[in-house]
Amino acid sequence: MKMLSTLIGCLIAGLAVFGQGRGNQAPGPTVTVRGHTFTQQSLFQRNVGAPDDQTAQFPPHKIIGNLYYVGTKSLSAFLVVTPQGNILINSTYERNVPTIQKSVEQLGFQFSDTKILLGSHAHGDHQEGDALVKQLTGAQVMAMAEDVPALQAMKPGGKDHPIDKVLHDGESVTLGGTTLVAHLTPGHTRGNTTWALRVQDGGKTYDVVIIGSFGTNPGTRLVGNATVPGIVDEYNRTFKVARALKVDVPLGSHPGMYNMEEKFAKLGTSVQNPFVDPDGYKLEVDIDEAMFRAVLAEQQKAAQ
Ligand SMILES: [Zn+2]
């Protein structure tokens, strides 16, 4: 009994650490989309991975064009390299910042060339390290307006969360010839941001999308949510926005959202870049929307 309660305590603590709301060990509803079956819990687990995956360096690599991966096994960080300095997307946990710096340097770039820091959404596993990145590089930190309150509450070691520029839906961020467009895709957080950019590779232009998160984490209240009464409308809006985006290369705040490991293993084995995967993007949106609808239906039924 003691062991069981310790185990449950650990699970609750684990969920709280990720900023995913209240601990909820129930597997939640199950969805199957084109042969891929997930419970709410297993989809969440696919994203966050094991505790070690969150801190273990993943081999840094070029994705396509001037876009590189510099994150851990389960927490994405991306580097956009330009002649006028670089843009980093996601600092992840503060303890991962030295790993991100190492990855940037292993690719032959300088961490101090980071001029702009962007983020996927105001959860600690994606943006806790913002203050440290700013301290080390002097980068300008930009954040979607709707995520500002949650970011301001994120204070590792008591440090204030830096926010140099507040962005709004549809706003562009340009550096050295590369433009990223911030699409507000709320639900998972109020200011959840899906970044869209175009890259050139081998004489072709590709539309890249970095999914902020379309996920409904365990513990998320869709029915009777006093803090965010319009949360269902926000998710509905997000799936509409997600489906309207033109995507050649899907990426996401967790590598599991775009099967990074599988694609990385295929790098250099064929003429086609494995990260070009428009169908994979549609599948991910379909899985996330199916899960959202299943969780909503379950909560509506329970509320009757
Ligand atoms: Zn999150």
Side-chain angles (χ1 to χ4, degrees), residues 189-213:
T189 65
R190 306 300 309 275
N192 198 282
T193 307
T194 293
W195 290 101
L197 66 151
R198 296 190 124 180
V199 300
Q200 258 78 44
D201 195 287
K204 283 190 196 161
T205 303
Y206 296 88
D207 286 296
V208 179
V209 161
I210 303 170
I211 298 169
S213 176

Side-chain angles (χ1 to χ4, degrees), residues 18-20 44 48 121-126 188-189 192 212-213 215 217 253-254 257:
F18 308 142
Q20 318 296 350
F44 167 75
V48 297
H121 63 266
H123 280 161
D125 52 349
H126 308 291
H188 187 88
T189 65
N192 198 282
S213 176
N217 281 347
S253 58
H254 293 284
M257 293 172 177

